[in-house]
Amino acid sequence: MMMSFKRQRCNFLKQVLNCGEVGRKFVALMSSTLKEMRNGGVSAGVRDLYVEDSSTEDELITPGTFSVASGCTLLRDPRYNKGLAFTEKERDAHYLRGLLPPAILSQELQEKRMMHNLRQYEVPLHRYTALMDLQERNERLFYKLLIDNVEELLPIVYTPTVGEACQKYGSIFRRPQGLYVSLKDKGKILEVLKNWSEKNIQVIVVTDGERILGLGDLGCQGMGIPVGKLSLYTALGGVRPSACLPITIDVGTNNEKLLNDEFYIGLRHKRATGKEYAELLDEFMHAVKQNYGEKVLIQFEDFANHNAFDLLEKYSSSHLVFNDDIQGTASVVLAGLLASLKLVGGNLADHTFLFLGAGEAGTGIAELIALEVSKQTKAPLEETRKKIWLVDSKGLIVSSRMESLQPFKKPWAHEHEPVKGLLDAVKAIKPTVLIGSSGVGKTFTKEVVEAMSSLNEKPLILALSNPTSQSECTAEEAYTWSKGRAIFASGSPFDPVEFEGKVHVPGQANNAYIFPGFGLGLIISGAIRVRDEMLLAACKYIYIYIYIYDNVDLTSLCLGKKHKNIYLCFDAAEALAAQVTQENYDKGLIYPPFTNIRKISANIAANVAAKAYELGLATNLPRPKDLVKCAESCMYSPVYRSYL
């Protein structure tokens, strides 16, 4: 006679409990998980069912389930493979004898060896492919490498090298690193999402490949961008790799070179538009929400202007959506502008801004600047926009062009006679700040920089377009043409420049300062929508951190009992700014180093989460008493675990 299910369950639990402390932990964890599932949610994001990511290094954890992965299967699983770091006992327990050389190398020694090997490559793309290979065979070592060497490796996994990787993605493609949703999948996108092995997804980065960096339409090969972004979500923001999903939506490409390339991996037809495109995106958005729930963050990445604004506006009221090109870039640039006031003087409202480029990045930055000035001065938003001017391909955006302007450009059409070129616009507007977001290289010419220098003692010049080849000017050009007076930052990294015996350190207005911590803040709060106030909360921490670095415990200063008022952070920063050495300011730094980026991300996450709770958009209740500690406790650690 067959044993009843209830009796089988009781016998199983008795056997588990007989396993001692590990068994008791397992039962307690599963009981807690089932209770949370019945309540329709989990606290602080997705629960790690096997405590594999949140356990200490010394805890004895079997990867996956009680059915132990062994032998070649274990070595071929990138999430649990440790290579030569498996101990003698682990090799016996998991049938690894003979499958590995006898030497045992610690994770630290493996990291040292890998960095040595990477530095032998002279071509950045070769370093990129080597890192991607490592990610596919040993996930924890990959992230340990990236976290510990972030300043050296960030330009490889992110801009500028990722741009070249996307251009050549068809040639270097090895195995799928994300999901490909194409027009062929229309009507069955939900089925496609279900094919992804991980079910508890917290963050999706999605692109349609139409405007990859400043490189244009790369179609299906834009996948390198979501993959790179999500690597940074994990390394810099601590979001677990298993909770991240890169997606490319393939609707074709208008890039003739790709269409004629025998190695191209996408659909070979012109890009779909109009109703066909809208219906596919709509099905995708609804399928994501149906499959992963209300709280999954969908980050739009590198969509062309004509789609980016529409998608953000359409889905911001029904989904948790974020556009890094519009909102993330705006946040990090505003943070740099606030920091630069210590160098150029005045308040934000005292300055006049001129943009080259009126696309999603330019207008997004402009709007956030106007919003911050409005909050500071209590002036209407329509009034604060008047100090911000934009130049597009047809010249200065002025009111006489109103009828022909796209909707997102119309708020920036001010009263002024038409002006054609950037140089003439600089002379006419007399800006104190020049910002490039055009995607066109070499547009900040010597004449433009000299004109800015003639108008300002310390011209603030931000050449933001990526990759390096598309930068409006180089750091060397900015410092040389301004005779060393410019305050310069760029989208891609540039080396320090020596001019007349003084070393100038260019800043990098890198979105990686913002989006990993921003996403983590949404996750730990269980936010269901994104609001501008959250973006301001994110960028203001960067501004504060530039001044005080690690000299002061910001947690106790800004995020204690009075965390609800974000502007208290400004009071603290102003009071302590005098304690910072003048050396940093003398170098022209307006962004902090990346060496402490995970600490920065944790504090950004706490600020964003605090704002989500304040706005009533958080669902993970009750609110944690210490949001910084909550963020840090949720962050993924790449340290190897014991598998016994």
Side-chain angles (χ1 to χ4, degrees), residues 177-199:
Q177 294 176 290
L179 271 181
Y180 295 86
V181 177
S182 76
L183 285 171
K184 292 182 178 180
D185 304 315
K186 191 174 181 181
K188 48 187 176 183
I189 293 179
L190 182 60
E191 296 175 32
V192 173
L193 295 178
K194 290 181 181 296
N195 286 340
W196 188 249
S197 59
E198 299 295 340
K199 306 306 176 187

PDB file of all heavy atoms in Angstrom, residues 177-199:
ATOM      1  N   GLN A 177      23.734  35.062 -23.857  1.00  0.00           N
ATOM      2  CA  GLN A 177      23.899  35.650 -22.529  1.00  0.00           C
ATOM      3  C   GLN A 177      22.613  36.321 -22.057  1.00  0.00           C
ATOM      4  O   GLN A 177      22.564  36.875 -20.969  1.00  0.00           O
ATOM      5  CB  GLN A 177      25.042  36.667 -22.542  1.00  0.00           C
ATOM      6  CG  GLN A 177      26.407  36.048 -22.789  1.00  0.00           C
ATOM      7  CD  GLN A 177      27.499  37.086 -22.885  1.00  0.00           C
ATOM      8  OE1 GLN A 177      27.584  37.849 -23.839  1.00  0.00           O
ATOM      9  NE2 GLN A 177      28.349  37.125 -21.875  1.00  0.00           N
ATOM     10  N   GLY A 178      21.600  36.284 -22.904  1.00  0.00           N
ATOM     11  CA  GLY A 178      20.322  36.880 -22.569  1.00  0.00           C
ATOM     12  C   GLY A 178      19.249  36.335 -23.494  1.00  0.00           C
ATOM     13  O   GLY A 178      19.484  35.395 -24.257  1.00  0.00           O
ATOM     14  N   LEU A 179      18.080  36.969 -23.456  1.00  0.00           N
ATOM     15  CA  LEU A 179      16.960  36.537 -24.291  1.00  0.00           C
ATOM     16  C   LEU A 179      16.849  37.406 -25.544  1.00  0.00           C
ATOM     17  O   LEU A 179      17.004  38.628 -25.474  1.00  0.00           O
ATOM     18  CB  LEU A 179      15.649  36.633 -23.513  1.00  0.00           C
ATOM     19  CG  LEU A 179      15.198  35.426 -22.694  1.00  0.00           C
ATOM     20  CD1 LEU A 179      13.865  35.737 -22.033  1.00  0.00           C
ATOM     21  CD2 LEU A 179      15.077  34.177 -23.562  1.00  0.00           C
ATOM     22  N   TYR A 180      16.544  36.768 -26.655  1.00  0.00           N
ATOM     23  CA  TYR A 180      16.291  37.474 -27.914  1.00  0.00           C
ATOM     24  C   TYR A 180      14.808  37.352 -28.238  1.00  0.00           C
ATOM     25  O   TYR A 180      14.290  36.257 -28.441  1.00  0.00           O
ATOM     26  CB  TYR A 180      17.130  36.875 -29.041  1.00  0.00           C
ATOM     27  CG  TYR A 180      18.615  37.064 -28.854  1.00  0.00           C
ATOM     28  CD1 TYR A 180      19.361  36.159 -28.109  1.00  0.00           C
ATOM     29  CD2 TYR A 180      19.275  38.161 -29.410  1.00  0.00           C
ATOM     30  CE1 TYR A 180      20.724  36.331 -27.921  1.00  0.00           C
ATOM     31  CE2 TYR A 180      20.634  38.343 -29.234  1.00  0.00           C
ATOM     32  CZ  TYR A 180      21.357  37.428 -28.487  1.00  0.00           C
ATOM     33  OH  TYR A 180      22.705  37.609 -28.306  1.00  0.00           O
ATOM     34  N   VAL A 181      14.130  38.494 -28.277  1.00  0.00           N
ATOM     35  CA  VAL A 181      12.713  38.533 -28.632  1.00  0.00           C
ATOM     36  C   VAL A 181      12.609  39.212 -29.992  1.00  0.00           C
ATOM     37  O   VAL A 181      13.026  40.361 -30.149  1.00  0.00           O
ATOM     38  CB  VAL A 181      11.891  39.314 -27.588  1.00  0.00           C
ATOM     39  CG1 VAL A 181      10.435  39.418 -28.013  1.00  0.00           C
ATOM     40  CG2 VAL A 181      12.002  38.651 -26.215  1.00  0.00           C
ATOM     41  N   SER A 182      12.064  38.513 -30.988  1.00  0.00           N
ATOM     42  CA  SER A 182      12.016  39.081 -32.330  1.00  0.00           C
ATOM     43  C   SER A 182      10.580  39.125 -32.849  1.00  0.00           C
ATOM     44  O   SER A 182       9.648  38.610 -32.212  1.00  0.00           O
ATOM     45  CB  SER A 182      12.880  38.257 -33.287  1.00  0.00           C
ATOM     46  OG  SER A 182      12.230  37.046 -33.635  1.00  0.00           O
ATOM     47  N   LEU A 183      10.432  39.726 -33.999  1.00  0.00           N
ATOM     48  CA  LEU A 183       9.115  39.775 -34.641  1.00  0.00           C
ATOM     49  C   LEU A 183       8.555  38.377 -34.888  1.00  0.00           C
ATOM     50  O   LEU A 183       7.338  38.188 -34.936  1.00  0.00           O
ATOM     51  CB  LEU A 183       9.205  40.547 -35.957  1.00  0.00           C
ATOM     52  CG  LEU A 183       9.328  42.073 -35.855  1.00  0.00           C
ATOM     53  CD1 LEU A 183       9.629  42.670 -37.223  1.00  0.00           C
ATOM     54  CD2 LEU A 183       8.056  42.676 -35.285  1.00  0.00           C
ATOM     55  N   LYS A 184       9.433  37.395 -35.025  1.00  0.00           N
ATOM     56  CA  LYS A 184       8.985  36.015 -35.222  1.00  0.00           C
ATOM     57  C   LYS A 184       8.241  35.474 -33.998  1.00  0.00           C
ATOM     58  O   LYS A 184       7.504  34.499 -34.097  1.00  0.00           O
ATOM     59  CB  LYS A 184      10.180  35.111 -35.515  1.00  0.00           C
ATOM     60  CG  LYS A 184      10.861  35.363 -36.851  1.00  0.00           C
ATOM     61  CD  LYS A 184      12.004  34.377 -37.050  1.00  0.00           C
ATOM     62  CE  LYS A 184      12.675  34.562 -38.402  1.00  0.00           C
ATOM     63  NZ  LYS A 184      13.790  33.597 -38.595  1.00  0.00           N
ATOM     64  N   ASP A 185       8.463  36.129 -32.854  1.00  0.00           N
ATOM     65  CA  ASP A 185       7.868  35.646 -31.603  1.00  0.00           C
ATOM     66  C   ASP A 185       6.557  36.345 -31.268  1.00  0.00           C
ATOM     67  O   ASP A 185       5.998  36.108 -30.190  1.00  0.00           O
ATOM     68  CB  ASP A 185       8.851  35.855 -30.446  1.00  0.00           C
ATOM     69  CG  ASP A 185      10.190  35.201 -30.711  1.00  0.00           C
ATOM     70  OD1 ASP A 185      10.188  34.052 -31.161  1.00  0.00           O
ATOM     71  OD2 ASP A 185      11.227  35.850 -30.471  1.00  0.00           O
ATOM     72  N   LYS A 186       6.073  37.180 -32.163  1.00  0.00           N
ATOM     73  CA  LYS A 186       4.836  37.898 -31.886  1.00  0.00           C
ATOM     74  C   LYS A 186       3.699  36.911 -31.615  1.00  0.00           C
ATOM     75  O   LYS A 186       3.507  35.945 -32.344  1.00  0.00           O
ATOM     76  CB  LYS A 186       4.480  38.796 -33.078  1.00  0.00           C
ATOM     77  CG  LYS A 186       3.355  39.774 -32.783  1.00  0.00           C
ATOM     78  CD  LYS A 186       3.149  40.743 -33.944  1.00  0.00           C
ATOM     79  CE  LYS A 186       2.047  41.734 -33.633  1.00  0.00           C
ATOM     80  NZ  LYS A 186       1.809  42.685 -34.741  1.00  0.00           N
ATOM     81  N   GLY A 187       2.971  37.170 -30.532  1.00  0.00           N
ATOM     82  CA  GLY A 187       1.885  36.298 -30.130  1.00  0.00           C
ATOM     83  C   GLY A 187       2.290  35.230 -29.130  1.00  0.00           C
ATOM     84  O   GLY A 187       1.433  34.561 -28.548  1.00  0.00           O
ATOM     85  N   LYS A 188       3.593  35.062 -28.919  1.00  0.00           N
ATOM     86  CA  LYS A 188       4.065  34.039 -27.977  1.00  0.00           C
ATOM     87  C   LYS A 188       5.270  34.514 -27.154  1.00  0.00           C
ATOM     88  O   LYS A 188       6.125  33.727 -26.777  1.00  0.00           O
ATOM     89  CB  LYS A 188       4.404  32.751 -28.721  1.00  0.00           C
ATOM     90  CG  LYS A 188       5.278  32.927 -29.959  1.00  0.00           C
ATOM     91  CD  LYS A 188       5.413  31.619 -30.732  1.00  0.00           C
ATOM     92  CE  LYS A 188       6.210  31.853 -32.015  1.00  0.00           C
ATOM     93  NZ  LYS A 188       6.309  30.635 -32.843  1.00  0.00           N
ATOM     94  N   ILE A 189       5.303  35.823 -26.872  1.00  0.00           N
ATOM     95  CA  ILE A 189       6.428  36.378 -26.110  1.00  0.00           C
ATOM     96  C   ILE A 189       6.447  35.832 -24.688  1.00  0.00           C
ATOM     97  O   ILE A 189       7.514  35.593 -24.118  1.00  0.00           O
ATOM     98  CB  ILE A 189       6.386  37.917 -26.123  1.00  0.00           C
ATOM     99  CG1 ILE A 189       6.634  38.427 -27.548  1.00  0.00           C
ATOM    100  CG2 ILE A 189       7.412  38.505 -25.160  1.00  0.00           C
ATOM    101  CD1 ILE A 189       6.596  39.927 -27.695  1.00  0.00           C
ATOM    102  N   LEU A 190       5.277  35.606 -24.105  1.00  0.00           N
ATOM    103  CA  LEU A 190       5.232  35.036 -22.760  1.00  0.00           C
ATOM    104  C   LEU A 190       5.920  33.676 -22.734  1.00  0.00           C
ATOM    105  O   LEU A 190       6.648  33.356 -21.784  1.00  0.00           O
ATOM    106  CB  LEU A 190       3.777  34.916 -22.286  1.00  0.00           C
ATOM    107  CG  LEU A 190       3.572  34.374 -20.868  1.00  0.00           C
ATOM    108  CD1 LEU A 190       4.258  35.271 -19.842  1.00  0.00           C
ATOM    109  CD2 LEU A 190       2.087  34.247 -20.552  1.00  0.00           C
ATOM    110  N   GLU A 191       5.717  32.880 -23.775  1.00  0.00           N
ATOM    111  CA  GLU A 191       6.382  31.583 -23.860  1.00  0.00           C
ATOM    112  C   GLU A 191       7.895  31.748 -23.940  1.00  0.00           C
ATOM    113  O   GLU A 191       8.654  30.976 -23.350  1.00  0.00           O
ATOM    114  CB  GLU A 191       5.890  30.814 -25.082  1.00  0.00           C
ATOM    115  CG  GLU A 191       4.413  30.449 -25.052  1.00  0.00           C
ATOM    116  CD  GLU A 191       3.968  29.792 -26.345  1.00  0.00           C
ATOM    117  OE1 GLU A 191       4.795  29.087 -26.966  1.00  0.00           O
ATOM    118  OE2 GLU A 191       2.806  29.997 -26.743  1.00  0.00           O
ATOM    119  N   VAL A 192       8.346  32.767 -24.675  1.00  0.00           N
ATOM    120  CA  VAL A 192       9.784  33.035 -24.796  1.00  0.00           C
ATOM    121  C   VAL A 192      10.369  33.374 -23.428  1.00  0.00           C
ATOM    122  O   VAL A 192      11.434  32.863 -23.048  1.00  0.00           O
ATOM    123  CB  VAL A 192      10.033  34.182 -25.796  1.00  0.00           C
ATOM    124  CG1 VAL A 192      11.512  34.572 -25.795  1.00  0.00           C
ATOM    125  CG2 VAL A 192       9.597  33.776 -27.200  1.00  0.00           C
ATOM    126  N   LEU A 193       9.681  34.226 -22.671  1.00  0.00           N
ATOM    127  CA  LEU A 193      10.165  34.599 -21.341  1.00  0.00           C
ATOM    128  C   LEU A 193      10.254  33.380 -20.431  1.00  0.00           C
ATOM    129  O   LEU A 193      11.182  33.263 -19.620  1.00  0.00           O
ATOM    130  CB  LEU A 193       9.251  35.653 -20.718  1.00  0.00           C
ATOM    131  CG  LEU A 193       9.197  37.027 -21.400  1.00  0.00           C
ATOM    132  CD1 LEU A 193       8.214  37.938 -20.684  1.00  0.00           C
ATOM    133  CD2 LEU A 193      10.579  37.672 -21.437  1.00  0.00           C
ATOM    134  N   LYS A 194       9.312  32.482 -20.558  1.00  0.00           N
ATOM    135  CA  LYS A 194       9.305  31.291 -19.706  1.00  0.00           C
ATOM    136  C   LYS A 194      10.446  30.337 -20.053  1.00  0.00           C
ATOM    137  O   LYS A 194      10.793  29.451 -19.259  1.00  0.00           O
ATOM    138  CB  LYS A 194       7.958  30.575 -19.815  1.00  0.00           C
ATOM    139  CG  LYS A 194       6.805  31.338 -19.162  1.00  0.00           C
ATOM    140  CD  LYS A 194       5.498  30.571 -19.270  1.00  0.00           C
ATOM    141  CE  LYS A 194       4.341  31.348 -18.650  1.00  0.00           C
ATOM    142  NZ  LYS A 194       4.509  31.541 -17.193  1.00  0.00           N
ATOM    143  N   ASN A 195      11.045  30.511 -21.230  1.00  0.00           N
ATOM    144  CA  ASN A 195      12.178  29.664 -21.603  1.00  0.00           C
ATOM    145  C   ASN A 195      13.443  30.017 -20.827  1.00  0.00           C
ATOM    146  O   ASN A 195      14.387  29.217 -20.776  1.00  0.00           O
ATOM    147  CB  ASN A 195      12.464  29.777 -23.109  1.00  0.00           C
ATOM    148  CG  ASN A 195      11.432  29.055 -23.945  1.00  0.00           C
ATOM    149  OD1 ASN A 195      10.722  28.177 -23.455  1.00  0.00           O
ATOM    150  ND2 ASN A 195      11.326  29.414 -25.216  1.00  0.00           N
ATOM    151  N   TRP A 196      13.489  31.230 -20.257  1.00  0.00           N
ATOM    152  CA  TRP A 196      14.657  31.615 -19.458  1.00  0.00           C
ATOM    153  C   TRP A 196      14.657  30.795 -18.173  1.00  0.00           C
ATOM    154  O   TRP A 196      13.644  30.688 -17.497  1.00  0.00           O
ATOM    155  CB  TRP A 196      14.613  33.105 -19.161  1.00  0.00           C
ATOM    156  CG  TRP A 196      15.859  33.641 -18.514  1.00  0.00           C
ATOM    157  CD1 TRP A 196      15.997  34.090 -17.240  1.00  0.00           C
ATOM    158  CD2 TRP A 196      17.140  33.807 -19.136  1.00  0.00           C
ATOM    159  NE1 TRP A 196      17.282  34.517 -17.010  1.00  0.00           N
ATOM    160  CE2 TRP A 196      18.012  34.348 -18.166  1.00  0.00           C
ATOM    161  CE3 TRP A 196      17.638  33.532 -20.410  1.00  0.00           C
ATOM    162  CZ2 TRP A 196      19.351  34.634 -18.435  1.00  0.00           C
ATOM    163  CZ3 TRP A 196      18.974  33.821 -20.673  1.00  0.00           C
ATOM    164  CH2 TRP A 196      19.812  34.361 -19.700  1.00  0.00           C
ATOM    165  N   SER A 197      15.794  30.227 -17.827  1.00  0.00           N
ATOM    166  CA  SER A 197      15.839  29.264 -16.720  1.00  0.00           C
ATOM    167  C   SER A 197      15.562  29.897 -15.363  1.00  0.00           C
ATOM    168  O   SER A 197      14.996  29.252 -14.477  1.00  0.00           O
ATOM    169  CB  SER A 197      17.203  28.565 -16.693  1.00  0.00           C
ATOM    170  OG  SER A 197      18.247  29.516 -16.549  1.00  0.00           O
ATOM    171  N   GLU A 198      15.960  31.151 -15.169  1.00  0.00           N
ATOM    172  CA  GLU A 198      15.723  31.818 -13.888  1.00  0.00           C
ATOM    173  C   GLU A 198      14.313  32.394 -13.863  1.00  0.00           C
ATOM    174  O   GLU A 198      13.893  33.067 -14.808  1.00  0.00           O
ATOM    175  CB  GLU A 198      16.746  32.927 -13.656  1.00  0.00           C
ATOM    176  CG  GLU A 198      18.183  32.450 -13.595  1.00  0.00           C
ATOM    177  CD  GLU A 198      18.450  31.543 -12.423  1.00  0.00           C
ATOM    178  OE1 GLU A 198      17.664  31.558 -11.458  1.00  0.00           O
ATOM    179  OE2 GLU A 198      19.454  30.800 -12.463  1.00  0.00           O
ATOM    180  N   LYS A 199      13.604  32.176 -12.774  1.00  0.00           N
ATOM    181  CA  LYS A 199      12.208  32.620 -12.693  1.00  0.00           C
ATOM    182  C   LYS A 199      12.028  33.858 -11.823  1.00  0.00           C
ATOM    183  O   LYS A 199      11.055  34.593 -11.987  1.00  0.00           O
ATOM    184  CB  LYS A 199      11.336  31.484 -12.143  1.00  0.00           C
ATOM    185  CG  LYS A 199      11.465  30.174 -12.925  1.00  0.00           C
ATOM    186  CD  LYS A 199      11.212  30.362 -14.415  1.00  0.00           C
ATOM    187  CE  LYS A 199      11.428  29.076 -15.202  1.00  0.00           C
ATOM    188  NZ  LYS A 199      11.338  29.303 -16.669  1.00  0.00           N
TER     189      LYS A 199
END
